[in-house]
Amino acid sequence: MGLKEMIKQRLLSSAVIISLLAGVLHLDMHHPLMGVGGLWLMPLLLGLALLATAELVDMLIAGGMSIRKCHVMLAVALVHVLTFVPALLDAFGGGYPADCAVGRLGWAPIGAVLGICWLWVVEMKHYEEPGGVVTRLGASSLVILYTGVALSFLTSLRTLPLPGEASSAWGMVALLSIVIVTKCGDSGAYFMGKTFGKHKMAPRLSPGKTIEGACGAFLAGMAAAVFVGLWLAPALVQMGQVDIVVATEPILAWAIYGALITATGMFGDLAESLIKRDMQQKDSSSWFPGLGGVLDILDSITLSAVPAYLFWVSGLIGPQ
C-alpha cells in the first residue's frame, strides 16, 4: 500500500471515529443524564474496553497461549462497572458519600481482585492435571490490569470531583486533554517520522518509529496541551457554566503535562508493539483500515490515563 493510500485510510477512519465520539461528548456535555456528567460515556467506555480486551486475548491465543476469553472479558467488565459506582450514586443514590472509605478510585482495584478471584474459581473447577494454570492466570491478570484497571482511569478522569460549579465541565476537559495530546503526539510522530525519520528508535519492536518522529511527537503533544489549557478549557467551561471566571495554569505547566502524557503515550504504543511482536501480529484487528483495531487506537491513551489523573487530582493543572 502506498503512502497516499495509507494516509487516506487513516484520515477516513479518523473522521468516522471523531464524528461518533463528538456526538457522544456533545450529549454528555450539554444533555447529561440525571444532571451527572459521564453517564453517556460509560456504555461507550465499557464497549471499547471489551473490544480491546477481546482483541488482546485473541492476539495472545493466536500466539499460542491458552486463555479463557469469556471469563477474562467478564472480569474486565466487572472492573469497569464498579468504576461507574461513584457516578451512578451521584445520579441515583443522592450523591457519593464524601466519607466513604473506598473512595472514588478504590472500586477499580476491588474489581480487579474480584475478577482475578473469579478466574481462580474457574481454574479450580476445570483443573485436571498440572501445567498451564499459572501461565493462563498470569496472562489473564495482565489483560485485567491493562484493559481493565488502566483503561478505567478514563472514567475517573471524566468524573473527577473537582471543586466548583464547573466540576463536570472540567472533567470533560480532563478527558479530552489526554485524547487530544496523545493523538496529536501520534500524528506529529507519524508525519515527522515519514518526512525526516532516519534514526531508528526501537527497530526490534517497531521498525517504523524514529528519533525524529519522537521529537515531532513531543512538539505536537506539548503544543496540543498548551492549546487545551489556554483556549479549549476556558471555552468548554464557559460553555458549560455561564458567567464563571476561568483561571488556568501558566503555559509551562500545560507544556510539562503535554510532555509527560506524550512520553507515556509513546511508552504505551511500544508496550502494545512488544505484545504484538511477541505474538507475531501486525495489528490487534482490522476494525479501522489504516489504524488497526481498538487496542491499536487506545494503546497510547491507556497507560497515559494514570499520570494524567495524578496531574489533575494534585492540582498541578485544572481550575484555580
Side-chain angles (χ1 to χ4, degrees):
M1 182 186 300
L3 178 59
K4 289 185 177 180
E5 183 63 26
M6 183 182 297
I7 294 177
K8 181 180 178 181
Q9 288 190 351
R10 279 177 173 253
L11 292 176
L12 181 59
S13 296
S14 298
V16 173
I17 295 171
I18 292 173
S19 298
L20 293 175
L21 182 61
V24 178
L25 292 177
H26 176 81
L27 285 173
D28 196 60
M29 182 74 179
H30 297 284
H31 306 284
L33 290 175
M34 306 294 294
V36 176
L39 296 185
W40 278 110
L41 283 173
M42 289 180 184
L44 174 63
L45 292 173
L46 177 59
L48 290 175
L50 291 178
L51 286 172
T53 301
E55 291 178 351
L56 181 54
V57 172
D58 286 343
M59 280 199 298
L60 296 176
I61 293 175
M65 304 192 71
S66 174
I67 298 183
R68 303 186 190 278
K69 181 177 180 179
C70 292
H71 295 290
V72 173
M73 292 185 67
L74 177 63
V76 170
L78 178 62
V79 173
H80 284 274
V81 170
L82 288 182
T83 305
F84 299 158
V85 166
L88 293 174
L89 286 179
D90 286 339
F92 303 104
Y96 190 75
D99 58 350
C100 179
V102 176
R104 287 179 172 265
L105 199 62
W107 292 99
I110 290 175
V113 173
L114 292 176
I116 293 172
C117 287
W118 171 250
L119 295 178
W120 268 331
V121 170
V122 173
E123 293 296 342
M124 292 174 188
K125 179 181 178 181
H126 294 281
Y127 183 79
E128 294 181 353
E129 58 185 18
V133 172
V134 174
T135 301
R136 185 160 48 244
L137 284 174
S140 300
S141 299
L142 171 64
V143 176
I144 292 172
L145 289 174
Y146 188 23
T147 61
V149 177
L151 202 54
S152 73
F153 273 78
L154 293 179
T155 298
S156 299
L157 277 169
R158 176 62 187 99
T159 57
L160 278 172
L162 296 170
E165 296 180 357
S167 176
S168 179
W170 275 108
M172 178 65 77
V173 174
L175 178 62
L176 285 175
S177 70
I178 184 174
V179 176
I180 292 173
V181 171
T182 54
K183 292 310 168 184
C184 284
D186 288 347
S187 299
Y190 180 80
F191 287 107
M192 185 71 78
K194 287 293 184 182
T195 306
F196 303 106
K198 292 182 179 180
H199 302 88
K200 301 294 184 182
M201 185 170 66
R204 292 187 178 182
L205 293 181
S206 186
K209 290 182 173 59
T210 63
I211 295 176
E212 291 82 1
C215 293
F218 277 108
L219 290 174
M222 293 170 69
V226 171
F227 164 77
V228 170
L230 298 188
W231 289 284
L232 182 61
L236 284 178
V237 175
Q238 293 284 4
M239 192 182 301
Q241 299 287 335
V242 181
D243 297 330
I244 186 171
V245 177
V246 181
T248 60
E249 292 291 341
I251 292 178
L252 180 60
W254 285 100
I256 294 174
Y257 175 72
L260 178 63
I261 298 307
T262 300
T264 51
M266 289 192 292
F267 176 79
D269 195 345
L270 287 173
E272 197 220 358
S273 295
L274 175 62
I275 295 174
K276 290 191 293 186
R277 184 68 62 182
D278 195 45
M279 296 296 106
Q280 300 182 45
Q281 302 291 313
K282 184 180 183 298
D283 294 317
S284 61
S285 76
S286 57
W287 276 84
F288 304 101
L291 296 177
V294 174
L295 195 63
D296 295 319
I297 295 173
L298 295 177
D299 57 2
S300 58
I301 294 176
T302 302
L303 298 184
S304 299
V306 177
Y309 181 85
L310 294 176
F311 251 81
W312 282 91
V313 296
S314 65
L316 293 174
I317 57 174
Q320 300 299 307

